[in-house]
């Protein structure tokens, strides 16, 4: 059996995003994978947690750090359904994530090229390989439908 692909992991991130939507949170899901093992998962929960930092990526990084007993997540890939914001991109760099794979681009807050590119700041001491657009249409549709249902 072949190892899971980026698409397989993004499907899992979408399932986490759907759970967030069911709780009334913006539907974003994320997971951290090292090798072929999922070591952390997260879904948006800033509303329910009363925590502006409780983005899916941060939740997944926290879970992975607890699982490994280390805040450095070298050798890991973070999958997320939406392009990371500046806060999350900075946390990804500090966690020493090797690779980020995201679904939909975020033209209003994305920090992997949409409004900024945190990952390309030359003064940072860690480089992250970033790849966007995996299941982009499905990820974007989930977000659009969520907001459409809440705005007249």
């Amino acid at each position: 059996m072949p190892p899971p692909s980026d698409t397989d992991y993004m499907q899992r991130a979408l399932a986490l995003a759907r759970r967030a939507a069911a709780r009334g949170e913006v539907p974003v899901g994320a997971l951290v994978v090292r090798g072929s093992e999922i070591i952390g998962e997260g879904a948006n929960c800033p509303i329910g947690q009363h925590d502006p930092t409780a983005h899916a990526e941060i939740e997944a990084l926290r879970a992975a750090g607890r699982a490994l007993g280390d805040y450095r997540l070298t050798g890991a890939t973070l999958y997320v359904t939406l392009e990371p914001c500046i806060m999350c991109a900075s946390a990804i760099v500090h966690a020493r994530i090797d690779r980020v794979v995201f679904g939909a681009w975020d033209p209003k807050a994305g920090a992997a090229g949409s409004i900024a590119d945190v990952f390309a700041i030359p003064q940072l001491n860690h480089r992250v390989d970033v790849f966007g657009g995996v299941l982009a249409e499905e990820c974007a549709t989930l977000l659009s439908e969520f907001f459409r249902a809440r705005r007249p």
Side-chain angles (χ1 to χ4, degrees), residues 23-137:
R23 295 190 314 271
E25 301 277 0
V26 174
V28 179
L31 52 123
V32 178
V33 176
R34 184 149 58 174
S36 59
E37 179 185 1
I38 296 172
I39 57 172
E41 293 184 333
N44 262 7
C45 57
I47 298 167
Q49 296 291 329
H50 311 290
D51 179 355
T53 70
H55 290 194
E57 300 95 322
I58 301 297
E59 295 297 303
L61 292 172
R62 288 174 178 159
R66 284 190 299 271
L68 297 180
D70 194 350
Y71 72 100
R72 296 275 170 99
L73 304 174
T74 56
T77 298
L78 184 137
Y79 293 87
V80 61
T81 57
L82 183 64
E83 179 184 2
C85 70
I86 291 172
M87 174 186 70
C88 292
S90 297
I92 289 163
V93 170
H94 286 290
R96 304 299 194 266
I97 292 287
D98 284 3
R99 184 170 175 252
V100 171
V101 177
F102 67 88
W105 293 89
D106 186 351
K108 294 181 180 179
S114 287
I115 66 160
D117 192 348
V118 168
F119 302 110
I121 297 173
Q123 293 84 358
L124 293 176
N125 64 348
H126 178 70
R127 297 285 163 253
V128 179
D129 181 30
V130 181
F131 184 73
V134 175
L135 299 180
E137 188 173 325

Side-chain angles (χ1 to χ4, degrees), residues 1-9 35-37 79:
M1 178 180 247
S5 67
D6 287 348
T7 301
D8 295 327
Y9 288 121
S36 59
E37 179 185 1
Y79 293 87

